[in-house]
Amino acid sequence: MWDYAAIMAILVCTFLFSGLLLTQRIKMQEQKRKASVLILAAHPDDLEIACGGTIATLIDRGHAVHAVIMSNGAKGGDASVRPGEAKRAGRFLGMDSVDVNDFPDLNLASVTNDMIGVIERHIKQRDPDLILTHSEHDIHQDHYAVHQAVLRAARNHHSILCFESPSVTKDFTPSVFIDVSEYADVKNTAVNAHANQMSKPYMTRDIIDGITSFRGRQARINRAEGFEPVRLRLDDPLNL
């Protein structure tokens, strides 16, 4: 038979162990792996306008960022300089690669299958933890065409966020916000790298700062860039 002392010892140990379970949590492993981000856009200046602050934030956190641009912007500007501007902006931000294609500007919907092939190749090559692209709520036909191509090419991918272009409609409703409060100057410098487009009203600092301030207010921070999630895995290594 169990004596009184033995029973009390068991009860005390059980109590202490139960208390330990209630007060101690498993420590999370620090994320040391460099994550990969793939950004897919229609035109050379789309990335910086929509998510230049997010790009800089992710790069400063040590992640690799790769950009794929579908057209050289021939209809909206000078195709002989716009790809170079995109690459200079990418170098300024610290992007690992900027690939500019020459699919037909303003008619990207006519080459949907070709774009899908390019996107699939880059997904296989980069193995991204996160994909960023245009929103379905965008009235620019090229932006919408890229969005559709990304959804098809990345149909099995777990994390896709859609960024805010100047041509999004009122239906654009972000629910993911990236704090870019410290990156207003960086974003604007990257936008200014696209000198060929500086006559466009949406390239001005007032407009760009106004959007990040508005999204920041929604997110209860100073400045933010907003994204619509197609889907987003919460255990992402990017610490969004």
Side-chain angles (χ1 to χ4, degrees):
M1 292 183 61
W2 293 90
D3 61 24
Y4 178 78
I7 292 173
M8 289 301 298
I10 292 172
L11 290 175
V12 169
C13 289
T14 302
F15 175 78
L16 291 175
F17 182 68
S18 298
L20 184 65
L21 288 178
L22 290 173
T23 59
Q24 298 297 315
R25 295 180 60 179
I26 298 172
K27 291 183 178 180
M28 298 297 294
Q29 295 281 331
E30 268 189 40
Q31 180 53 249
K32 297 182 183 301
R33 182 174 69 82
K34 186 178 185 181
S36 175
V37 180
L38 180 61
I39 310 177
L40 302 147
H43 310 107
D45 56 357
D46 289 336
L47 306 178
E48 293 79 13
I49 296 171
C51 56
T54 296
I55 293 170
T57 299
L58 293 172
I59 290 169
D60 282 358
R61 290 179 183 176
H63 303 307
V65 178
H66 303 274
V68 180
I69 301 166
M70 294 301 171
S71 79
N72 56 22
K75 297 295 185 180
D78 189 342
S80 68
V81 300
R82 295 194 70 187
E85 290 176 343
K87 291 182 182 296
R88 283 193 292 275
R91 285 195 297 271
F92 169 73
L93 290 171
M95 285 192 273
D96 290 65
S97 68
V98 178
D99 179 30
V100 182
N101 296 273
D102 59 357
F103 293 127
D105 189 14
L106 298 185
N107 198 23
L108 291 181
S110 68
V111 291
T112 296
N113 288 338
D114 293 327
M115 289 197 297
I116 290 172
V118 168
I119 297 165
E120 288 177 337
R121 174 169 57 83
H122 279 275
I123 290 174
K124 183 176 181 180
Q125 180 181 1
R126 304 302 182 189
D127 188 23
D129 298 277
L130 176 66
I131 294 173
L132 304 179
T133 194
H134 293 282
S135 168
E136 66 175 325
H137 300 121
D138 200 312
I139 60 173
H140 195 298
Q141 66 270 29
D142 283 352
H143 296 177
Y144 184 75
V146 171
H147 171 82
Q148 291 293 315
V150 170
L151 290 193
R152 296 178 193 177
R155 56 196 173 276
N156 295 319
H157 198 275
H158 52 76
S159 297
I160 304 172
L161 295 179
C162 299
F163 49 64
E164 182 174 15
S165 297
S167 49
V168 295
T169 71
K170 63 181 178 59
D171 295 317
F172 180 84
T173 309
S175 57
V176 174
F177 299 91
I178 306 299
D179 188 347
V180 297
S181 300
E182 298 180 3
Y183 290 92
D185 291 338
V186 172
K187 175 170 179 158
N188 278 278
T189 299
V191 170
N192 289 339
H194 296 274
N196 188 250
Q197 298 295 293
M198 290 311 295
S199 63
K200 305 291 176 65
Y202 52 79
M203 302 288 281
T204 65
R205 177 145 193 173
D206 285 347
I207 296 296
I208 292 170
D209 285 352
I211 293 171
T212 56
S213 294
F214 175 67
R215 296 305 179 193
R217 176 58 184 162
Q218 288 183 308
R220 305 300 188 263
I221 53 181
N222 186 25
R223 294 183 185 274
E225 289 172 342
F227 299 85
E228 292 176 323
V230 174
R231 50 188 170 268
L232 180 63
R233 192 175 68 190
L234 290 179
D235 61 338
D236 73 278
L238 294 157
N239 190 30
L240 291 178

